[in-house]
Amino acid sequence: RTMKLMIIENSSENQIKCALRIEALSERDKELLDLQIKVVTEKEYEDRLDQADVLILGSGLGDSALTVARTARAKFPWLNIIMFVTDKAYAEGAFRTVHTEGVRKALPDGASPNDLLQELIAIQAEFKREGRARDGQVIVVCHAKGGVGATSVVAALAEVFATCNRRTMIWDLDTVSRDLSRSLAAVGDESRLVDGWINGSLDVSRESLRDALVPITDEVFLLTPPSGIGESIDLVCHTDAILIVERIIEVSSSLFDAIIVDTAGQMGPATGALLRSADHVIIVIDDGQLGITAVDMFLSVLKTLVGNSSKISFLVNSFTGAYFSNSQLASHLESGHDIGKHAWRLPPVPYDPKAALWPASGFTLFSKGSSPLRDAFLSIAAELGIVNKNQLPDQGESSPPRSGGWLQRMLGR
């Protein structure tokens, strides 16, 4: 959501002076704050207060600034007000009295642009906590060994989130076989933009990210791996990729409700950055003996990379349904790693042979499978906190697949 700033000053000269404080911020900061700026005089501001989130009162208003603040807060108590005063007035303690009129912060004219930036970032953080600004949750899906269905889980979760009206980005990090991209028939030129990020010919920005995304439905977008071999190697192995990955997460979190990353077994500096920045780390395992022993070895490395074990969740993808239950798997792995009961709260994905046919079908594991399987994924989405349980759609045995948009996308390609 755009942060709407309204600058109120008494003359064109002072308005420009105040606006230049915003221009002094870095392009990156202005983009992430997504600022929309209006400049008005004290004679016209009252009719436009409903168009503002933040008021910036210039020092040229003098004593009338407090009247403006008082009037604005009376009409819209949630407005954030930042007031500039002359350096002399600030030194004389003007900042001590402004708070009684609802002013959030008083700054001297000589303040650094970073002082203003700090307040704007704090306001944005409050907006995110209140749900007034998007703060996308980062979900990293990984696995200890191949063939456990991690890619299927990523696609299915994306469809669940879309079903619940959550704008979602899925990120394919499989630089070798590109399973997620191929399963969704995403074979366009968008990956060349990812190449540009890696080789330094293009900056990661809102605009370049939007251009790099492959639309799957109105709510789901796919970020493909790089197309070049050199860029693919650098993304996985080079430490410079850490800053690129962090920037992608930073930008995408302001555009999407959820970012789901398919690590595809890749382990390197970029993966480590993703694991550290993730809100949730899902380890997909199967219900067989090889799954247990692989995860046992994998956890020793993963816990170090994640840093905070409370972010880890296990998701059992029951390929057979004939081997180990969640409780048996937990009993075995907890004895050596002590992740905690919280890590085992996600319901297992029921075995469903029909669901395995989803790649290139136009559907995902979620909409291709049976009602119990769909119920499991809806519960997983709720447990992750991406959707509210009260908002989950009702699933019936006779419910048809709910992903016409996916099918249309596939046929379109």
Side-chain angles (χ1 to χ4, degrees), residues 61-341:
L61 295 175
D63 293 338
S64 64
L66 289 178
T67 302
V68 172
R70 190 182 307 117
T71 301
R73 289 281 293 187
K75 288 190 172 184
F76 299 99
W78 57 85
L79 278 173
N80 288 275
I81 303 175
I82 299 172
M83 179 186 294
F84 280 91
V85 298
T86 64
D87 293 342
K88 179 182 178 182
Y90 190 85
E92 292 174 351
F95 58 88
R96 299 179 186 276
T97 59
V98 297
H99 298 294
T100 60
E101 303 300 339
V103 174
R104 177 191 180 98
K105 186 75 173 181
L107 295 171
D109 277 336
S112 163
N114 284 337
D115 292 328
L116 175 59
L117 175 62
Q118 183 177 0
E119 285 305 310
L120 295 178
I121 290 175
I123 291 169
Q124 186 187 55
E126 291 173 7
F127 285 179
K128 288 178 178 180
R129 288 193 295 270
E130 296 166 0
R132 297 170 62 188
R134 184 172 273 123
D135 184 20
Q137 298 286 294
V138 180
I139 303 168
V140 176
V141 179
C142 54
H143 57 267
K145 73 177 189 68
V148 297
T151 295
S152 298
V153 166
V154 170
L157 285 176
E159 187 178 6
V160 174
F161 296 165
T163 301
C164 298
N165 299 316
R166 295 295 184 269
R167 188 174 171 85
T168 303
M169 185 183 96
I170 46 179
W171 187 355
D172 184 0
L173 279 184
D174 189 343
T175 58
V176 179
S177 61
R178 308 167 73 93
D179 283 354
L180 183 60
S181 301
R182 289 188 301 108
S183 296
L184 299 174
V187 287
D189 294 330
E190 291 88 351
S191 58
R192 296 187 181 278
L193 296 174
V194 182
D195 291 348
W197 295 338
I198 306 301
N199 62 37
S201 63
L202 182 67
D203 291 332
V204 180
S205 65
R206 285 186 176 219
E207 182 179 358
S208 66
L209 177 62
R210 288 190 179 105
D211 291 341
L213 294 173
V214 180
I216 304 300
T217 70
D218 291 341
E219 298 288 344
V220 179
F221 297 80
L222 170 69
L223 183 61
T224 64
S227 62
I229 295 176
E231 287 82 4
S232 295
I233 294 173
D234 285 347
L235 177 59
V236 175
C237 303
H238 205 291
T239 54
D240 286 350
I242 294 175
L243 294 178
I244 297 169
V245 164
E246 289 176 342
R247 176 63 174 159
I248 292 171
I249 290 296
E250 187 178 49
V251 174
S252 60
S253 294
S254 67
L255 296 174
F256 295 94
D257 299 307
I259 298 95
I260 314 173
V261 185
D262 183 5
T263 62
Q266 305 281 9
M267 277 295 165
T271 313
L274 282 168
L275 291 168
R276 287 189 294 275
S277 63
D279 297 288
H280 305 280
V281 176
I282 298 177
I283 305 174
V284 182
I285 59 179
D286 60 26
D287 55 354
Q289 183 63 43
L290 284 178
I292 295 177
T293 54
V295 174
D296 202 359
M297 299 174 65
F298 181 64
L299 276 174
S300 299
V301 175
L302 189 77
K303 286 194 299 183
T304 301
L305 292 174
V306 171
N308 182 359
S309 295
S310 66
K311 298 192 297 186
I312 296 175
S313 299
F314 296 99
L315 179 58
V316 180
N317 195 1
S318 306
F319 282 101
T320 66
Y323 290 106
F324 299 105
S325 66
N326 261 31
S327 59
Q328 289 173 312
L329 291 167
S331 177
H332 178 87
L333 292 171
E334 285 298 316
S335 62
H337 299 283
D338 193 27
I339 303 295
K341 291 182 180 180

Side-chain angles (χ1 to χ4, degrees), residues 6 11 16 27 32 36 47-48 79 199 201 221 223 287-288 294 317 334 395 412:
M6 182 177 290
S11 69
I16 293 172
E27 290 301 318
L32 289 177
Q36 182 183 96
D47 294 333
R48 303 188 183 184
L79 278 173
N199 62 37
S201 63
F221 297 80
L223 183 61
D287 55 354
N317 195 1
E334 285 298 316
Q395 296 288 320

